Amino acid sequence: MFETMHYIVESIDGDYANLKKVEEPDGEPKLVARALLPAEIQEGSKVKYEMLSYYME
């Protein structure tokens, strides 16, 4: 079973973005290549990870 996870784009640095898990605000950010994320993301955008893909919320 695939789990749906919700993130907020904490920062964008070149070809990568740091995502903070909504459910774990004190946890470590996850570094993700921007090529895997929706093109329209900005700092503060909300994204969800579902079925091995990222989507805007």
Side-chain angles (χ1 to χ4, degrees), residues 5-21:
M5 294 183 222
H6 301 272
Y7 295 95
I8 295 176
V9 179
E10 187 175 72
S11 63
I12 297 173
D13 185 18
D15 291 336
Y16 295 90
N18 286 299
L19 305 183
K20 194 68 122 170
K21 196 180 231 184

Side-chain angles (χ1 to χ4, degrees), residues 4 6 11-12 21 27 32 34 41-43 46 53-54:
T4 299
H6 301 272
S11 63
I12 297 173
K21 196 180 231 184
V32 178
R34 288 189 64 191
I41 66 159
Q42 300 176 4
E43 290 182 7
K46 294 180 181 179
S53 295
Y54 291 91

Side-chain angles (χ1 to χ4, degrees), residues 19-41:
L19 305 183
K20 194 68 122 170
K21 196 180 231 184
V22 172
E23 295 84 7
E24 297 175 18
D26 295 330
E28 285 290 313
K30 179 178 182 176
L31 188 64
V32 178
R34 288 189 64 191
L36 299 175
L37 298 167
E40 64 271 17
I41 66 159

